[in-house]
Amino acid sequence: MVIPVTEKPTPASAYEVALQQYDAVARRLGLDPGISAIMRSPRATLEVNFPVKMDDGSVQVFTGFRVQHNTARGPAKGGIRFHPAVTLDEVKALAMWMTWKCAVVDIPFGGGKGGVICDPKRLSPAELERLTRRFTSEISAFIGPDRDIPAPDVYTNAQTMGWIADTYSMHHGHFIPAVVTGKPLALGGSLGRNEATARGCVFVIQEAAQHLGMVLPGATVVVQGFGNAGSVAARLLHQLGCRVVAVSDSKGGIYDAAGLDPDQVLAHKQKTGSVVGFAGAESIGNAELLELPCDVLVPAALENQITEENAGRLRARLVAEAANGPTTPEADRILYQRGIWVLPDILANAGGVTVSYFEWVQNLQFFYWTEEEVNQRLRQTMQRSFRAVWEIAQAQQVDMRTAAYMLAVRRVADAIQARGIYP
Ligand code: GLU
Protein backbone atom coordinates (compact mmCIF):
# COMPACT_ATOMS: atom_id res chain seq x y z
CA MET A 1 0.00 0.00 0.00
CA VAL A 2 1.28 3.48 -0.84
CA ILE A 3 0.63 6.02 1.91
CA PRO A 4 0.14 9.54 0.53
CA VAL A 5 2.94 11.74 1.85
CA THR A 6 0.56 14.32 3.23
CA GLU A 7 -1.14 11.77 5.50
CA LYS A 8 0.31 11.56 8.99
CA PRO A 9 1.17 7.90 9.61
CA THR A 10 -0.58 6.29 12.57
CA PRO A 11 1.93 5.36 15.29
CA ALA A 12 3.28 1.86 14.80
CA SER A 13 2.18 -0.75 17.30
CA ALA A 14 4.78 -2.29 19.59
CA TYR A 15 4.85 -5.44 17.49
CA GLU A 16 5.32 -3.48 14.27
CA VAL A 17 8.23 -1.70 15.95
CA ALA A 18 9.72 -5.03 17.07
CA LEU A 19 9.39 -6.44 13.54
CA GLN A 20 10.94 -3.34 11.94
CA GLN A 21 13.90 -3.58 14.30
CA TYR A 22 14.29 -7.28 13.60
CA ASP A 23 13.90 -7.04 9.81
CA ALA A 24 16.55 -4.34 9.54
CA VAL A 25 19.08 -6.47 11.42
CA ALA A 26 18.15 -9.76 9.73
CA ARG A 27 18.87 -8.03 6.38
CA ARG A 28 22.13 -6.59 7.64
CA LEU A 29 23.31 -9.98 8.92
CA GLY A 30 22.40 -11.65 5.63
CA LEU A 31 20.64 -14.48 7.45
CA ASP A 32 19.46 -17.62 5.73
CA PRO A 33 15.80 -16.86 4.81
CA GLY A 34 14.48 -19.98 6.56
CA ILE A 35 16.30 -19.23 9.82
CA SER A 36 15.25 -15.61 9.58
CA ALA A 37 11.59 -16.60 9.12
CA ILE A 38 11.69 -18.79 12.26
CA MET A 39 12.74 -15.86 14.44
CA ARG A 40 10.20 -13.52 12.88
CA SER A 41 7.16 -15.11 14.57
CA PRO A 42 6.43 -16.43 18.06
CA ARG A 43 6.70 -20.20 18.44
CA ALA A 44 3.51 -20.35 20.52
CA THR A 45 0.75 -18.01 21.62
CA LEU A 46 -1.88 -18.72 24.25
CA GLU A 47 -4.94 -16.57 24.87
CA VAL A 48 -7.22 -17.40 27.76
CA ASN A 49 -10.54 -16.00 28.95
CA PHE A 50 -11.22 -16.89 32.54
CA PRO A 51 -13.72 -16.05 35.28
CA VAL A 52 -12.89 -14.46 38.62
CA LYS A 53 -15.25 -14.15 41.57
CA MET A 54 -15.27 -10.51 42.64
CA ASP A 55 -15.64 -9.37 46.25
CA ASP A 56 -19.26 -8.29 45.66
CA GLY A 57 -20.20 -11.82 44.58
CA SER A 58 -20.35 -11.06 40.84
CA VAL A 59 -18.28 -12.92 38.26
CA GLN A 60 -16.06 -11.07 35.82
CA VAL A 61 -14.32 -12.60 32.80
CA PHE A 62 -10.73 -11.49 32.13
CA THR A 63 -8.50 -12.05 29.11
CA GLY A 64 -4.86 -12.99 29.45
CA PHE A 65 -1.99 -13.98 27.18
CA ARG A 66 1.24 -15.91 27.35
CA VAL A 67 3.53 -15.81 24.34
CA GLN A 68 6.70 -17.84 23.80
CA HIS A 69 8.68 -16.12 21.11
CA ASN A 70 11.68 -18.42 20.77
CA THR A 71 13.09 -21.31 22.80
CA ALA A 72 16.15 -22.30 20.75
CA ARG A 73 18.59 -21.18 23.48
CA GLY A 74 16.55 -22.41 26.46
CA PRO A 75 13.17 -22.09 28.16
CA ALA A 76 11.08 -19.02 27.40
CA LYS A 77 11.66 -16.28 29.99
CA GLY A 78 9.83 -13.05 30.63
CA GLY A 79 7.47 -11.17 32.85
CA ILE A 80 3.71 -10.96 33.20
CA ARG A 81 2.12 -7.51 33.16
CA PHE A 82 -1.27 -6.55 34.52
CA HIS A 83 -2.51 -3.49 32.64
CA PRO A 84 -5.86 -2.24 31.33
CA ALA A 85 -4.38 -1.52 27.89
CA VAL A 86 -2.28 -4.66 27.39
CA THR A 87 -2.87 -6.40 24.04
CA LEU A 88 -1.73 -9.61 22.38
CA ASP A 89 0.21 -7.50 19.90
CA GLU A 90 2.11 -5.80 22.71
CA VAL A 91 2.83 -9.11 24.47
CA LYS A 92 4.17 -10.55 21.19
CA ALA A 93 6.55 -7.60 20.90
CA LEU A 94 7.65 -7.90 24.52
CA ALA A 95 8.24 -11.67 24.09
CA MET A 96 10.42 -11.05 21.03
CA TRP A 97 12.41 -8.40 22.92
CA MET A 98 12.97 -10.94 25.72
CA THR A 99 14.54 -13.37 23.23
CA TRP A 100 17.05 -10.72 22.15
CA LYS A 101 17.61 -9.50 25.72
CA CYS A 102 18.52 -12.96 27.03
CA ALA A 103 20.82 -13.46 24.05
CA VAL A 104 22.57 -10.07 24.51
CA VAL A 105 23.56 -10.94 28.08
CA ASP A 106 24.13 -14.57 27.03
CA ILE A 107 21.94 -16.33 29.57
CA PRO A 108 20.48 -19.69 28.48
CA PHE A 109 16.89 -18.61 27.92
CA GLY A 110 14.58 -17.82 25.05
CA GLY A 111 11.95 -15.11 25.20
CA GLY A 112 8.41 -15.06 26.52
CA LYS A 113 5.91 -12.63 27.98
CA GLY A 114 2.47 -12.61 29.50
CA GLY A 115 -0.25 -10.12 30.21
CA VAL A 116 -3.71 -9.86 31.72
CA ILE A 117 -6.09 -7.09 30.71
CA CYS A 118 -7.10 -5.63 34.06
CA ASP A 119 -6.67 -2.53 36.17
CA PRO A 120 -4.87 -3.78 39.29
CA LYS A 121 -5.37 -0.42 40.99
CA ARG A 122 -9.12 -1.08 41.00
CA LEU A 123 -8.92 -4.65 42.28
CA SER A 124 -8.81 -5.56 45.96
CA PRO A 125 -5.86 -7.67 47.15
CA ALA A 126 -8.16 -10.69 47.39
CA GLU A 127 -9.45 -10.16 43.83
CA LEU A 128 -5.91 -9.73 42.58
CA GLU A 129 -4.92 -13.00 44.24
CA ARG A 130 -7.87 -14.91 42.74
CA LEU A 131 -7.18 -13.41 39.31
CA THR A 132 -3.48 -14.34 39.51
CA ARG A 133 -4.20 -17.88 40.69
CA ARG A 134 -6.84 -18.55 38.04
CA PHE A 135 -4.65 -17.10 35.28
CA THR A 136 -1.78 -19.31 36.49
CA SER A 137 -4.06 -22.29 36.43
CA GLU A 138 -5.13 -21.47 32.85
CA ILE A 139 -1.52 -21.26 31.62
CA SER A 140 -0.07 -23.97 33.88
CA ALA A 141 0.32 -26.54 31.10
CA PHE A 142 2.21 -23.95 29.05
CA ILE A 143 4.73 -22.82 31.68
CA GLY A 144 7.26 -24.77 33.78
CA PRO A 145 10.80 -24.50 35.15
CA ASP A 146 12.32 -26.00 32.00
CA ARG A 147 9.75 -24.68 29.58
CA ASP A 148 8.62 -21.13 30.30
CA ILE A 149 9.41 -19.12 33.43
CA PRO A 150 7.39 -15.97 34.23
CA ALA A 151 8.58 -13.02 36.33
CA PRO A 152 7.31 -9.59 37.42
CA ASP A 153 6.64 -6.81 34.94
CA VAL A 154 4.43 -3.70 34.89
CA TYR A 155 2.06 -3.74 37.92
CA THR A 156 3.05 -7.21 39.13
CA ASN A 157 5.50 -7.85 41.97
CA ALA A 158 7.05 -10.43 44.29
CA GLN A 159 3.67 -11.17 45.90
CA THR A 160 2.14 -11.90 42.49
CA MET A 161 5.03 -14.30 41.79
CA GLY A 162 4.48 -15.98 45.17
CA TRP A 163 0.87 -16.74 44.20
CA ILE A 164 2.00 -18.08 40.82
CA ALA A 165 4.61 -20.34 42.48
CA ASP A 166 2.05 -21.63 44.99
CA THR A 167 -0.71 -22.27 42.43
CA TYR A 168 1.63 -24.12 40.06
CA SER A 169 3.07 -26.10 42.97
CA MET A 170 -0.40 -27.08 44.25
CA HIS A 171 -1.20 -28.48 40.79
CA HIS A 172 1.93 -30.61 40.92
CA GLY A 173 1.63 -31.72 44.53
CA HIS A 174 5.01 -30.33 45.60
CA PHE A 175 6.81 -27.00 45.80
CA ILE A 176 8.43 -25.97 42.49
CA PRO A 177 10.03 -22.57 43.08
CA ALA A 178 11.94 -22.50 39.76
CA VAL A 179 8.70 -22.08 37.78
CA VAL A 180 8.77 -18.33 38.36
CA THR A 181 11.36 -15.72 39.37
CA GLY A 182 11.13 -12.46 41.25
CA LYS A 183 9.58 -14.35 44.19
CA PRO A 184 9.60 -13.19 47.80
CA LEU A 185 12.83 -14.15 49.60
CA ALA A 186 10.81 -16.48 51.85
CA LEU A 187 9.91 -18.58 48.77
CA GLY A 188 13.37 -18.85 47.25
CA GLY A 189 13.58 -15.41 45.68
CA SER A 190 17.09 -14.11 45.09
CA LEU A 191 18.72 -11.37 47.08
CA GLY A 192 19.16 -8.38 44.80
CA ARG A 193 16.40 -9.35 42.35
CA ASN A 194 14.14 -6.45 43.29
CA GLU A 195 16.79 -3.84 42.45
CA ALA A 196 18.36 -5.81 39.59
CA THR A 197 16.73 -4.09 36.59
CA ALA A 198 17.75 -0.66 37.86
CA ARG A 199 21.16 -1.80 39.12
CA GLY A 200 21.98 -3.35 35.75
CA CYS A 201 20.85 -0.14 34.06
CA VAL A 202 23.13 1.91 36.29
CA PHE A 203 26.09 -0.39 35.55
CA VAL A 204 25.73 0.28 31.82
CA ILE A 205 25.17 4.00 32.43
CA GLN A 206 28.52 3.99 34.28
CA GLU A 207 30.19 2.26 31.33
CA ALA A 208 28.67 4.72 28.86
CA ALA A 209 29.58 7.70 31.02
CA GLN A 210 33.23 6.67 30.82
CA HIS A 211 33.09 6.64 27.03
CA LEU A 212 31.32 10.00 26.94
CA GLY A 213 33.66 11.57 29.45
CA MET A 214 30.62 12.27 31.62
CA VAL A 215 31.28 12.60 35.35
CA LEU A 216 28.34 11.03 37.17
CA PRO A 217 28.63 12.91 40.46
CA GLY A 218 26.80 16.13 39.67
CA ALA A 219 25.27 14.86 36.40
CA THR A 220 21.58 15.66 35.97
CA VAL A 221 19.09 12.82 35.64
CA VAL A 222 15.45 12.67 34.52
CA VAL A 223 13.41 9.51 35.13
CA GLN A 224 10.07 8.77 33.47
CA GLY A 225 8.15 6.13 35.46
CA PHE A 226 8.49 5.54 39.18
CA GLY A 227 7.78 1.82 39.47
CA ASN A 228 10.29 -0.91 40.27
CA ALA A 229 12.77 0.13 37.57
CA GLY A 230 12.42 3.92 37.70
CA SER A 231 12.31 4.46 41.45
CA VAL A 232 15.30 2.22 42.14
CA ALA A 233 17.29 3.72 39.23
CA ALA A 234 16.62 7.20 40.66
CA ARG A 235 17.78 6.05 44.11
CA LEU A 236 20.97 4.35 42.84
CA LEU A 237 21.90 7.32 40.63
CA HIS A 238 21.24 9.69 43.53
CA GLN A 239 23.57 7.53 45.66
CA LEU A 240 26.26 7.94 42.98
CA GLY A 241 25.97 11.70 43.39
CA CYS A 242 23.75 12.46 40.38
CA ARG A 243 21.19 15.22 40.67
CA VAL A 244 17.76 13.70 39.93
CA VAL A 245 15.91 16.80 38.71
CA ALA A 246 12.62 15.25 37.55
CA VAL A 247 10.63 12.06 37.94
CA SER A 248 7.11 11.04 36.94
CA ASP A 249 4.50 8.31 37.09
CA SER A 250 1.25 7.65 35.23
CA LYS A 251 -0.42 10.58 37.02
CA GLY A 252 2.23 13.22 36.15
CA GLY A 253 5.69 14.46 37.02
CA ILE A 254 7.63 16.64 39.43
CA TYR A 255 10.64 18.88 38.82
CA ASP A 256 13.21 20.44 41.14
CA ALA A 257 16.33 21.99 39.60
CA ALA A 258 18.14 21.57 42.93
CA GLY A 259 17.54 17.81 42.85
CA LEU A 260 14.96 15.49 44.41
CA ASP A 261 15.60 12.90 47.10
CA PRO A 262 14.23 9.70 45.52
CA ASP A 263 13.67 8.02 48.91
CA GLN A 264 11.49 10.88 50.06
CA VAL A 265 9.63 10.89 46.73
CA LEU A 266 9.01 7.16 47.10
CA ALA A 267 7.70 7.64 50.64
CA HIS A 268 5.34 10.32 49.28
CA LYS A 269 4.18 7.99 46.47
CA GLN A 270 3.60 5.16 48.93
CA LYS A 271 1.46 7.45 51.05
CA THR A 272 -0.53 9.23 48.32
CA GLY A 273 -0.37 6.87 45.32
CA SER A 274 1.67 9.23 43.13
CA VAL A 275 4.83 11.33 42.98
CA VAL A 276 2.58 14.29 42.11
CA GLY A 277 2.20 16.82 44.90
CA PHE A 278 5.65 16.18 46.39
CA ALA A 279 6.44 19.14 48.64
CA GLY A 280 8.77 21.77 47.18
CA ALA A 281 8.70 20.45 43.60
CA GLU A 282 7.05 22.00 40.55
CA SER A 283 4.60 19.83 38.66
CA ILE A 284 5.43 18.89 35.09
CA GLY A 285 3.72 16.77 32.42
CA ASN A 286 5.13 13.46 31.24
CA ALA A 287 5.71 14.76 27.70
CA GLU A 288 7.41 17.94 28.91
CA LEU A 289 9.61 15.92 31.26
CA LEU A 290 11.14 13.95 28.37
CA GLU A 291 12.31 17.20 26.79
CA LEU A 292 14.12 18.61 29.85
CA PRO A 293 17.82 19.31 29.43
CA CYS A 294 19.74 16.63 31.32
CA ASP A 295 22.78 14.39 31.12
CA VAL A 296 20.90 11.11 31.52
CA LEU A 297 17.28 10.43 30.60
CA VAL A 298 15.88 7.15 31.91
CA PRO A 299 12.57 6.16 30.31
CA ALA A 300 11.25 3.58 32.79
CA ALA A 301 7.56 3.40 31.93
CA LEU A 302 5.91 2.02 28.80
CA GLU A 303 6.47 1.66 25.06
CA ASN A 304 6.39 4.39 22.38
CA GLN A 305 7.38 7.39 24.50
CA ILE A 306 10.20 8.75 22.34
CA THR A 307 8.85 9.04 18.81
CA GLU A 308 9.60 10.96 15.62
CA GLU A 309 7.32 13.65 17.03
CA ASN A 310 9.44 14.53 20.11
CA ALA A 311 12.89 13.02 19.36
CA GLY A 312 14.06 16.28 17.77
CA ARG A 313 13.36 18.13 21.03
CA LEU A 314 15.11 15.79 23.48
CA ARG A 315 17.97 17.50 25.29
CA ALA A 316 19.61 14.54 27.03
CA ARG A 317 23.15 13.38 26.30
CA LEU A 318 22.41 9.76 27.11
CA VAL A 319 19.14 7.82 27.06
CA ALA A 320 19.15 4.61 29.13
CA GLU A 321 16.08 2.50 28.39
CA ALA A 322 14.97 0.92 31.65
CA ALA A 323 11.54 0.41 30.03
CA ASN A 324 10.91 -2.01 27.18
CA GLY A 325 10.39 -0.40 23.78
CA PRO A 326 10.26 3.29 24.79
CA THR A 327 11.86 4.49 21.52
CA THR A 328 10.48 3.99 18.00
CA PRO A 329 12.79 3.24 15.03
CA GLU A 330 12.18 6.72 13.53
CA ALA A 331 13.11 8.33 16.85
CA ASP A 332 16.21 6.12 16.99
CA ARG A 333 17.38 7.52 13.68
CA ILE A 334 16.78 11.11 14.80
CA LEU A 335 18.62 10.60 18.10
CA TYR A 336 21.54 8.92 16.34
CA GLN A 337 21.83 11.81 13.88
CA ARG A 338 21.69 14.28 16.75
CA GLY A 339 24.49 12.48 18.59
CA ILE A 340 22.30 11.44 21.53
CA TRP A 341 23.50 8.09 22.77
CA VAL A 342 20.85 5.43 23.39
CA LEU A 343 21.49 2.42 25.60
CA PRO A 344 18.84 0.08 24.17
CA ASP A 345 16.32 -1.75 26.36
CA ILE A 346 17.60 -5.22 25.46
CA LEU A 347 20.91 -4.23 27.05
CA ALA A 348 20.00 -1.47 29.51
CA ASN A 349 17.23 -3.32 31.35
CA ALA A 350 18.65 -6.84 31.05
CA GLY A 351 19.78 -6.78 34.69
CA GLY A 352 16.31 -7.93 35.78
CA VAL A 353 16.28 -11.09 33.74
CA THR A 354 19.96 -11.68 34.52
CA VAL A 355 19.22 -11.91 38.23
CA SER A 356 16.09 -13.91 37.38
CA TYR A 357 18.50 -16.38 35.81
CA PHE A 358 20.58 -16.36 39.02
CA GLU A 359 17.40 -16.97 41.02
CA TRP A 360 16.42 -19.92 38.81
CA VAL A 361 19.92 -21.41 39.12
CA GLN A 362 19.77 -21.05 42.92
CA ASN A 363 16.31 -22.69 42.99
CA LEU A 364 17.47 -25.63 40.86
CA GLN A 365 20.57 -26.12 43.02
CA PHE A 366 18.92 -25.42 46.41
CA PHE A 367 22.00 -23.33 47.09
CA TYR A 368 21.69 -19.64 47.82
CA TRP A 369 24.09 -16.79 47.17
CA THR A 370 24.86 -13.66 49.15
CA GLU A 371 23.70 -10.29 47.86
CA GLU A 372 27.34 -9.36 47.17
CA GLU A 373 27.76 -12.43 44.95
CA VAL A 374 24.58 -11.60 43.05
CA ASN A 375 25.55 -7.97 42.50
CA GLN A 376 29.10 -8.87 41.59
CA ARG A 377 27.99 -11.37 38.95
CA LEU A 378 25.41 -8.89 37.68
CA ARG A 379 28.11 -6.26 37.31
CA GLN A 380 30.31 -8.69 35.36
CA THR A 381 27.45 -9.65 33.06
CA MET A 382 26.44 -6.06 32.35
CA GLN A 383 30.01 -4.87 31.77
CA ARG A 384 30.84 -7.81 29.50
CA SER A 385 27.62 -7.29 27.52
CA PHE A 386 28.08 -3.53 27.25
CA ARG A 387 31.61 -4.03 25.92
CA ALA A 388 30.55 -6.68 23.41
CA VAL A 389 27.83 -4.38 22.07
CA TRP A 390 30.12 -1.36 22.08
CA GLU A 391 32.74 -3.20 20.03
CA ILE A 392 30.19 -4.13 17.37
CA ALA A 393 28.88 -0.56 17.31
CA GLN A 394 32.44 0.69 16.73
CA ALA A 395 33.42 -1.93 14.19
CA GLN A 396 30.22 -1.64 12.15
CA GLN A 397 29.66 2.09 12.68
CA VAL A 398 26.11 1.54 13.92
CA ASP A 399 24.09 2.71 16.90
CA MET A 400 24.03 0.64 20.10
CA ARG A 401 20.57 -0.85 19.41
CA THR A 402 21.61 -2.14 16.00
CA ALA A 403 24.81 -3.52 17.54
CA ALA A 404 22.90 -5.24 20.38
CA TYR A 405 20.45 -6.73 17.87
CA MET A 406 23.30 -7.95 15.68
CA LEU A 407 24.85 -9.76 18.62
CA ALA A 408 21.55 -11.20 19.86
CA VAL A 409 20.01 -12.24 16.56
CA ARG A 410 23.26 -13.92 15.52
CA ARG A 411 23.37 -15.89 18.79
CA VAL A 412 19.78 -17.10 18.38
CA ALA A 413 20.35 -17.92 14.70
CA ASP A 414 23.44 -19.94 15.64
CA ALA A 415 21.42 -21.91 18.21
CA ILE A 416 18.66 -22.65 15.69
CA GLN A 417 21.24 -23.71 13.12
CA ALA A 418 23.09 -25.92 15.60
CA ARG A 419 19.92 -27.65 16.73
CA GLY A 420 18.71 -28.14 13.17
CA ILE A 421 15.13 -28.42 12.03
CA TYR A 422 13.03 -31.26 13.46
CA PRO A 423 12.26 -33.78 12.00
N1 GLU B 1 9.92 -8.15 33.10
C1 GLU B 1 11.34 -8.02 33.11
C2 GLU B 1 11.84 -7.67 31.73
O1 GLU B 1 11.13 -7.14 30.93
C3 GLU B 1 12.04 -9.23 33.73
C4 GLU B 1 11.82 -10.54 33.03
C5 GLU B 1 12.36 -11.74 33.79
O2 GLU B 1 13.01 -11.56 34.81
O3 GLU B 1 12.10 -12.86 33.32
O4 GLU B 1 12.98 -7.85 31.41
Side-chain angles (χ1 to χ4, degrees):
M1 193 181 78
V2 180
I3 301 170
V5 280
T6 47
E7 204 172 288
K8 202 167 181 243
T10 46
S13 75
Y15 194 51
E16 281 163 3
V17 167
L19 287 178
Q20 275 180 42
Q21 291 167 336
Y22 171 69
D23 287 340
V25 170
R27 259 196 314 273
R28 193 184 275 275
L29 290 174
L31 293 179
D32 170 88
I35 302 285
S36 168
I38 293 172
M39 290 184 280
R40 205 172 186 278
S41 28
R43 74 165 288 274
T45 297
L46 179 64
E47 175 171 336
V48 292
N49 299 294
F50 58 95
V52 176
K53 250 190 227 146
M54 308 307 280
D55 290 347
D56 65 5
S58 67
V59 170
Q60 217 168 296
V61 174
F62 291 87
T63 300
F65 315 101
R66 185 74 192 170
V67 173
Q68 296 168 359
H69 171 257
N70 187 282
T71 52
R73 300 179 72 256
K77 186 83 191 80
I80 292 177
R81 65 173 56 180
F82 287 173
H83 197 278
V86 70
T87 61
L88 177 59
D89 175 280
E90 182 186 14
V91 175
K92 279 162 69 180
L94 290 159
M96 188 186 236
W97 287 327
M98 286 307 304
T99 299
W100 313 139
K101 193 184 299 185
C102 293
V104 168
V105 288
D106 206 10
I107 55 176
F109 288 135
K113 202 80 173 198
V116 176
I117 306 171
C118 65
D119 187 350
K121 291 178 184 167
R122 301 170 128 230
L123 297 171
S124 73
E127 288 169 339
L128 213 47
E129 177 172 354
R130 288 194 293 272
L131 178 144
T132 303
R133 287 184 180 279
R134 181 62 190 250
F135 177 61
T136 306
S137 175
E138 297 292 337
I139 65 167
S140 71
F142 203 59
I143 60 173
D146 41 23
R147 170 180 293 217
D148 180 354
I149 305 136
D153 198 75
V154 174
Y155 296 147
T156 57
N157 55 28
Q159 175 61 81
T160 326
M161 302 306 117
W163 292 327
I164 294 175
D166 183 63
T167 305
Y168 185 86
S169 297
M170 294 311 287
H171 280 197
H172 289 77
H174 60 106
F175 184 42
I176 307 176
V179 68
V180 63
T181 59
K183 297 178 294 292
L185 289 180
L187 289 183
S190 178
L191 290 164
R193 174 62 186 85
N194 217 23
E195 299 78 25
T197 305
R199 196 177 291 281
C201 189
V202 171
F203 286 147
V204 289
I205 290 173
Q206 287 178 304
E207 291 288 311
Q210 273 181 20
H211 286 284
L212 284 168
M214 183 195 290
V215 182
L216 284 177
T220 50
V221 172
V222 170
V223 181
Q224 185 200 40
F226 213 67
N228 175 259
S231 68
V232 180
R235 170 158 58 83
L236 295 176
L237 289 166
H238 176 75
Q239 283 169 3
L240 288 177
C242 296
R243 189 150 46 93
V244 181
V245 294
V247 302
S248 68
D249 59 29
S250 61
K251 300 199 174 72
I254 52 173
Y255 172 77
D256 184 347
L260 299 155
D261 178 341
D263 285 325
Q264 286 178 16
V265 177
L266 186 62
H268 173 81
K269 183 175 167 103
Q270 277 161 353
K271 220 166 48 210
T272 65
S274 173
V275 301
V276 174
F278 181 70
E282 286 170 45
S283 63
I284 184 170
N286 254 305
E288 211 186 329
L289 172 134
L290 292 174
E291 297 171 20
L292 287 170
C294 62
D295 292 305
V296 187
L297 172 64
V298 183
L302 295 171
E303 300 90 55
N304 280 341
Q305 299 301 303
I306 304 172
T307 64
E308 64 186 318
E309 198 280 311
N310 62 2
R313 296 192 299 274
L314 253 59
R315 285 178 288 169
R317 287 175 73 192
L318 176 65
V319 177
E321 296 183 337
N324 290 309
T327 310
T328 65
E330 298 79 23
D332 258 335
R333 279 191 282 278
I334 297 169
L335 297 180
Y336 189 58
Q337 278 161 12
R338 296 186 57 219
I340 298 177
W341 224 33
V342 178
L343 294 174
D345 47 6
I346 57 172
L347 171 67
N349 71 33
V353 74
T354 297
V355 177
S356 275
Y357 166 56
F358 298 160
E359 179 173 333
W360 180 76
V361 168
Q362 292 172 79
N363 292 155
L364 294 177
Q365 299 185 335
F366 309 97
F367 181 74
Y368 287 84
W369 310 354
T370 64
E371 189 161 1
E372 290 67 38
E373 277 176 276
V374 170
N375 289 343
Q376 176 57 25
R377 283 181 196 264
L378 173 62
R379 181 194 288 275
Q380 281 168 2
T381 301
M382 298 310 296
Q383 287 180 339
R384 176 176 37 78
S385 308
F386 175 92
R387 288 167 194 169
V389 172
W390 165 252
E391 271 165 29
I392 295 173
Q394 288 300 294
Q396 306 289 324
Q397 287 298 301
V398 292
D399 61 87
M400 290 289 277
R401 189 183 321 276
T402 305
Y405 263 77
M406 289 175 75
L407 179 63
V409 172
R410 170 65 70 203
R411 281 182 175 154
V412 179
D414 285 350
I416 294 172
Q417 203 114 38
R419 282 178 68 157
I421 307 300
Y422 174 87

